[in-house]
Amino acid sequence: MTHISVQKKLLAADGEMQLNVNITLEQGKLTAIYGPSGAGKTSLLRIIAGLLKADKGSIIVNQKTWLDSSKNIFLKPQERKVGFVFQEYALFPNMTVQENLLFALDKGQNKKNVDDLIAITELENLKNRKPENLSGGQKQRVALARALVRKPDVLMLDEPLSSLDLSMRNKLQDYILKVHKEYNLTTVLISHEVGEIVKMSDTVIILEKGEVVKQGKPFDVFTNKQISGKFQFTGDIINIQKEDIIYVVTILIGISFVKVVAEENEIIDLNIGDTVMVASKAFNPIFQKIK
């Protein structure tokens, strides 16, 4: 269990902002942080990692104190077992994939960890390549593997997939979930993609102007009411077409299309580009707009 209670005065676009967060992260769960730019999301991750010092507060990870301002306790970043994956890959250009991972090992740590991670992230055929010879998706897989080398207590992902195309993003979402479950990680993901959050996270925290304004299960947080069903997916509306007295709404889910029949009153507030939740009800697909 990870308890985070921190305060930090930040300089935002429209002046000073007080970051004031009190949250608990469950072991083995993936928590997403969502909110507008400048809400304090990245600053919060940097405080957890020790890259930014909070004005006051405490961080306790698995009963070990990383920060306690009242007792003048502040562990340096290298003393905290944190894996951090940024939007930028930040790989050493003069090192191969394998060398990048070996460099991240702690002194005396078993090199077998690197072999295991190369296998689980399917990098065997790329381990002798340098970053300049890798695609964006391959570089991000290396960055993820490198963040896991030290077997972190907390894995933090700061919009790691935002620069990738849809197909590659979907594949890497699956990789991250696979590694998250394999290592029973406590993972924190910053994302602006509602669909990504619904697919990947157990809990979502909405951050606005440095304050937690809402948190809970993603589907409950992003929709007005819960749809029951055996399957649930998120997608974007790409077409709304009237056919006689009904409407056919075409929704892009990943790289697949789903067509859902709707009545006029159900599409009044819908527009092309809206993100919706698609679920089953009485064996028929239904959808609901996500905020």
Side-chain angles (χ1 to χ4, degrees):
M1 197 75 76
T2 298
H3 301 281
I4 301 161
S5 179
V6 294
Q7 295 84 46
K8 174 72 176 178
K9 187 177 288 186
L10 301 173
L11 185 61
D14 55 353
E16 287 187 348
M17 179 185 76
Q18 184 70 28
L19 180 68
N20 184 16
V21 173
N22 189 345
I23 57 176
T24 297
L25 309 177
E26 289 188 50
Q27 174 68 36
K29 300 295 185 181
L30 193 153
T31 300
I33 301 178
Y34 178 84
S37 297
K41 303 184 298 297
T42 297
S43 295
L44 176 59
L45 262 59
R46 289 172 57 82
I47 287 172
I48 297 170
L51 300 173
L52 181 65
K53 196 167 185 177
D55 296 332
K56 65 177 181 177
S58 64
I59 300 173
I60 301 172
V61 181
N62 298 333
Q63 299 182 329
K64 182 176 182 179
T65 301
W66 289 6
L67 167 71
D68 189 334
S69 58
S70 67
K71 298 179 181 178
N72 201 29
I73 296 173
F74 178 82
L75 296 190
K76 296 177 181 178
Q78 59 268 31
E79 296 174 313
R80 307 184 187 199
K81 293 189 68 176
V82 169
F84 212 140
V85 181
F86 304 89
Q87 293 180 47
E88 304 81 16
Y89 314 116
L91 302 176
F92 295 111
N94 60 325
M95 295 184 183
T96 64
V97 168
Q98 188 172 42
E99 288 168 344
N100 264 278
L101 269 60
L102 287 170
F103 187 83
L105 283 172
D106 282 332
K107 186 176 180 180
Q109 194 176 357
N110 195 336
K111 293 183 179 180
K112 186 178 181 297
N113 292 346
V114 169
D115 296 331
D116 292 341
L117 282 166
I118 285 175
I120 198 173
T121 51
E122 300 180 19
L123 292 169
E124 294 99 327
N125 295 332
L126 306 173
K127 65 181 182 180
N128 294 318
R129 292 190 191 181
K130 292 185 177 179
E132 63 182 10
N133 298 315
L134 300 176
S135 68
Q138 290 168 342
K139 290 177 183 177
Q140 200 58 289
R141 263 193 284 160
V142 178
L144 175 63
R146 188 180 61 182
L148 294 168
V149 163
R150 296 175 62 216
K151 295 188 175 181
D153 289 325
V154 182
L155 172 66
M156 298 190 293
L157 311 170
D158 190 355
E159 295 192 74
L161 312 180
S162 59
S163 62
L164 303 175
D165 62 50
L166 179 62
S167 176
M168 182 54 64
R169 193 158 65 236
N170 285 332
K171 288 180 182 177
L172 283 180
Q173 287 168 359
D174 293 336
Y175 272 114
I176 290 170
L177 285 173
K178 177 182 177 182
V179 171
H180 166 77
K181 292 173 183 175
E182 183 89 11
Y183 285 82
N184 190 35
L185 294 170
T186 299
T187 302
V188 184
L189 166 71
I190 291 179
S191 176
H192 283 103
E193 297 290 333
V194 173
E196 183 169 272
I197 290 173
V198 173
K199 173 183 176 180
M200 298 182 67
S201 66
D202 301 291
T203 302
V204 60
I205 293 170
I206 308 295
L207 202 61
E208 292 183 5
K209 295 182 179 180
E211 299 277 349
V212 175
V213 297
K214 199 172 185 180
Q215 60 182 314
K217 294 181 179 180
F219 190 74
D220 295 337
V221 168
F222 288 120
T223 58
N224 293 320
K225 59 183 180 179
Q226 190 165 357
I227 299 174
S228 60
K230 291 185 178 179
F231 70 85
Q232 297 174 352
F233 302 99
T234 58
D236 298 325
I237 295 176
I238 62 169
N239 190 44
I240 302 174
Q241 182 175 338
K242 186 175 182 179
E243 295 186 5
D244 197 10
I245 61 171
I246 55 94
Y247 289 80
V248 176
V249 181
T250 304
I251 302 165
L252 176 65
I253 300 175
I255 57 174
S256 302
F257 297 99
V258 172
K259 291 182 181 288
V260 181
V261 175
E263 297 178 356
E264 184 173 5
N265 66 310
E266 294 177 300
I267 60 94
I268 291 175
D269 295 326
L270 294 181
N271 296 289
I272 292 173
D274 285 348
T275 300
V276 294
M277 173 68 70
V278 182
S280 66
K281 187 173 184 180
F283 305 103
N284 293 314
I286 58 174
F287 61 88
Q288 181 172 318
K289 184 176 178 178
I290 294 177
K291 289 181 180 179

